[in-house]
Amino acid sequence: MNTRTDSSTDFTPIDQDLYAAAFRLLDPDPEPIPEPAPPAALVVPAQVPLTAAAPVRLTGPVEKVLTDALAFLDTHGWTRYSLINTDGARCSIGALRGAAGSRNAAYCDAGNLLLDEARRQHGKKWETIPSWNDCHTGAQVRSVWESAIRRAHHLNI
């Protein structure tokens, strides 16, 4: 490679002030350049206490049928010895049927849970919901309903 080192070049020396003046003419109002942000390691986040949000829990179909049936009994009344009496009150099985709307899976599971809870509280001799319902007081029946609803809630069904 052949490089010339003498000072006899054909280039004109650069005038830095001339270039700065030319750039000012091209952009008379330059936007200020933002200062760089400090490194992430130096940023200290504010100490905010974390609060746990309550988890969203949906009511299961069995719990809903049981809850709706008990609300129906509270509103229209409870009876013995008939599915629906002349005043519109229902026995436990009538309330279950009314709340479920049809004999679907939730209706069957709610009935099984209610009968199981009745057996827990009043002995294993009860074969059907109507036979248990007809042999107990309103307070005893309500206690079984409330326990069945709590179990459905805890089982998330």
Side-chain angles (χ1 to χ4, degrees):
M1 175 157 48
N2 191 0
T3 307
R4 288 184 4 186
T5 56
D6 66 298
S7 60
S8 63
T9 61
D10 297 335
F11 295 105
T12 309
I14 298 174
D15 182 0
Q16 293 295 330
D17 293 331
L18 178 63
Y19 277 103
F23 284 117
R24 276 194 304 278
L25 290 173
L26 292 173
D27 191 9
D29 238 354
E31 291 182 23
I33 299 172
E35 292 188 30
L42 299 178
V43 177
V44 178
Q47 297 296 321
V48 178
L50 298 176
T51 56
V56 176
R57 183 191 163 284
L58 300 176
T59 302
V62 174
E63 181 184 357
K64 181 168 179 13
V65 168
L66 290 168
T67 303
D68 291 350
L70 184 57
F72 187 89
L73 291 174
D74 288 341
T75 304
H76 299 286
W78 168 78
T79 190
R80 293 186 212 179
Y81 311 116
S82 68
L83 195 63
I84 304 172
N85 72 9
T86 56
D87 296 328
R90 293 186 181 213
C91 71
S92 292
I93 199 73
L96 273 175
R97 288 180 185 172
S102 66
R103 294 184 184 185
N104 55 25
Y107 164 81
C108 294
D109 292 342
N112 288 333
L113 187 63
L114 185 66
L115 184 58
D116 184 56
E117 190 58 38
R119 289 175 177 161
R120 281 182 171 198
Q121 290 187 27
H122 301 287
K124 302 230 182 244
K125 67 180 180 177
W126 305 108
E127 296 294 321
T128 64
I129 292 172
S131 64
W132 158 77
N133 180 85
D134 294 347
C135 293
H136 292 87
T137 66
Q140 291 171 319
V141 170
R142 182 174 189 77
S143 172
V144 168
W145 276 95
E146 290 171 347
S147 295
I149 291 168
R150 280 192 302 275
R151 281 181 59 197
H153 179 81
H154 291 297
L155 293 170
N156 200 26
I157 56 174

